[in-house]
Amino acid sequence: MAFLYTGTTNLVAASRSKESRTNSSTTHVQTSQTLIAALQLSVWVGAGLGAFLLVFAHPILKAFIGNDDISPTVFHAALRYVRIRAIGMPAAAMIGSAQSACLGLQDVKSPLLVMLLAATVNLVVDVLVVGRTNNIWISGAAGAAWATTFSQYVAVAVFLQWLCTKSTAKLKVKERKLFLPLRMMSTLSRIRNGTHEKNNTFSTRGLLAGQLKWRDTFFGMPSKTLLKGFSPYVIPVTMTQVGRCSTYVAMNHVVSSSFGTISMAANQIVTSIFYSLIPIADSLSLTAQSFYPGIVEQPPSLERSAALKKASFNFLKVAGILGAILSGIVGCIPLACRFFTVDAVVVDLVNSIVPILLIIFSLHGVFCGSEGILLGQKDLTFLGRMY
């Protein structure tokens, strides 16, 4: 589904740049149509992926584990978890596309507020469901899966109403008629910006007002013209994600199928730290995808070349700083290991990986920043071939 998000960010950012350059009202319609097309495509891609997981979850899990030593109880709990989460795939795809559109329009507040609400709903449902019953389809891992799936659909509902509800003085009087999550978002947004909207940051609220037809969104297909806009991203970005994920999948497969419990415990700690730190530098890639299309869409000129060069230099400077910060955090792993485990053998295994992690994270910022620059400039072929 990654091509949806990358394509949405770039296409929406390009439309927004044209709007700023031409001051044309028709470009706003084009931006809205691009977002609607992304949402429509997300429904179909998410539904297809979810159906695939529902049908093939059993053989995929078995192949992933790699041996027959795992407890049937654990295996079936994992199987239920995967199938329940598969139900939420359309919602997950729509959330990702809506977030990507907001980033392309340089609106970072709206997706933040939506995800905060979704996380709150997830936590509340977790507390209400997990451990409260002996039903295998509701309690334990299954309950956690239901909580996440439910929160995803709540997030979609909030996002769509946010995008379809204009923020005007008249509507603010009527906000009490909106359902609770959107009222909460409105309140948080006003607190963040000030009552009188003192800053001029762009907001995606009401972007689709009067343009989104619910039946078309959930059951329609985007036009061929808009689909063509996404097609260049499908293979290169998918290859990029496959290249990334294949490393992690292979690593987990080898550890789970070939090594013992001690190695699995150490691997779990290392990967948990790894997954917690990589979003810090990944944000550089998203930022580049948000800013670069606006520069790339400008007519060729010396000013455009200078702007691209300056932006690239600034991004790589920030990438180097983030690499140094991440390396510093990784260097503290030996001091933090006691918070993850009390087993001395596991601690020694984790500490033995620290030098490798230092190399990885010192370069991670530069790698992610460069990846975002390539995506923002639509240099997709090189990126796919690289992976």
Side-chain angles (χ1 to χ4, degrees):
M1 296 192 294
F3 75 90
L4 282 172
Y5 312 148
T6 302
T8 300
T9 300
N10 282 269
L11 293 173
V12 169
S15 296
R16 176 64 177 169
S17 174
K18 290 178 182 177
E19 178 185 17
S20 301
R21 193 166 63 249
T22 62
N23 292 319
S24 171
S25 60
T26 57
T27 310
H28 178 74
V29 175
Q30 180 184 347
T31 303
S32 302
Q33 289 176 344
T34 302
L35 175 52
I36 292 172
L39 293 173
Q40 291 174 325
L41 197 56
S42 298
V43 173
W44 287 102
V45 173
L49 182 57
F52 178 83
L53 287 175
L54 284 170
V55 175
F56 296 104
H58 190 283
I60 290 174
L61 273 177
K62 194 170 182 180
F64 185 83
I65 293 168
N67 60 50
D68 298 323
D69 295 335
I70 191 169
S71 166
T73 303
V74 175
F75 179 84
H76 288 295
L79 184 62
R80 286 191 293 272
Y81 183 89
V82 171
R83 284 176 170 166
I84 293 170
R85 289 297 304 274
I87 299 173
M89 282 297 170
M94 292 183 72
I95 292 170
S97 294
Q99 282 183 290
S100 300
C102 290
L103 292 174
L105 295 168
Q106 298 178 23
D107 176 11
V108 297
K109 294 177 295 182
S110 298
L112 175 62
L113 294 175
V114 170
M115 298 318 295
L116 284 174
L117 286 171
T120 303
V121 171
N122 196 346
L123 177 62
V124 171
V125 178
D126 271 331
V127 172
L128 294 175
V129 173
V130 178
R132 295 300 181 92
T133 177
N134 293 325
N135 191 311
I136 60 174
W137 282 98
I138 299 177
S139 64
W146 282 120
T148 303
T149 300
F150 178 73
S151 68
Q152 287 173 330
Y153 280 102
V154 170
V156 168
V158 174
F159 234 140
L160 290 178
Q161 190 165 11
W162 181 262
L163 292 170
C164 294
T165 306
K166 287 185 177 180
S167 178
T168 64
K170 186 180 292 186
L171 283 174
K172 285 180 181 178
V173 175
K174 297 181 180 180
E175 275 181 358
R176 63 181 181 273
K177 296 182 179 180
L178 303 176
F179 73 110
L180 180 61
L182 189 58
R183 293 206 304 270
M184 291 171 62
M185 281 188 63
S186 299
T187 303
L188 289 171
S189 181
R190 286 200 299 274
I191 292 173
R192 172 68 172 80
N193 291 334
T195 306
H196 301 289
E197 303 291 339
K198 293 180 181 178
N199 61 22
N200 295 319
T201 55
F202 182 81
S203 175
T204 53
R205 184 171 184 181
L207 180 66
L208 303 183
Q211 300 185 55
L212 184 66
K213 296 180 180 180
W214 299 94
R215 181 177 296 179
D216 290 343
T217 300
F218 290 102
F219 302 105
M221 281 291 292
S223 66
K224 291 183 179 179
T225 303
L226 292 172
L227 279 176
K228 284 183 179 179
F230 287 93
S231 59
Y233 296 94
V234 176
I235 294 178
V237 177
T238 301
M239 288 297 296
T240 299
Q241 292 303 312
V242 170
R244 279 184 171 187
C245 295
S246 60
T247 303
Y248 308 143
V249 171
M251 176 179 62
N252 288 325
H253 173 77
V254 170
V255 173
S256 63
S257 62
S258 303
F259 300 129
T261 306
I262 299 296
S263 295
M264 288 182 67
N267 179 68
Q268 180 62 34
I269 293 172
V270 171
T271 52
S272 296
I273 295 171
F274 182 79
Y275 292 139
S276 298
L277 293 179
I278 56 173
I280 297 174
D282 278 348
S283 60
L284 271 178
S285 178
L286 297 173
T287 305
Q289 292 174 54
S290 175
F291 279 93
Y292 264 80
I295 304 175
V296 174
E297 290 294 324
Q298 300 288 337
S301 64
L302 292 175
E303 291 79 7
R304 174 179 176 270
S305 299
L308 285 172
K309 184 177 180 180
K310 183 179 179 181
S312 299
F313 181 68
N314 288 334
F315 268 103
L316 293 178
K317 279 198 301 185
V318 176
I321 294 171
L322 285 180
I325 293 172
L326 290 172
S327 297
I329 296 172
V330 169
C332 297
I333 288 178
L335 301 176
C337 264
R338 60 190 180 89
F339 297 107
F340 294 95
T341 180
V342 295
D343 191 303
V345 179
V346 175
V347 170
D348 289 340
L349 276 176
V350 172
N351 290 342
S352 68
I353 304 298
V354 170
I356 299 174
L357 291 177
L358 282 171
I359 297 173
I360 292 172
F361 279 106
S362 65
L363 300 173
H364 185 59
V366 175
F367 188 81
C368 289
S370 301
E371 182 182 271
I373 291 171
L374 289 173
L375 289 170
Q377 295 185 89
K378 298 183 180 179
D379 193 350
L380 305 173
T381 304
F382 172 78
L383 194 62
R385 288 175 179 173
M386 179 183 69
Y387 277 101

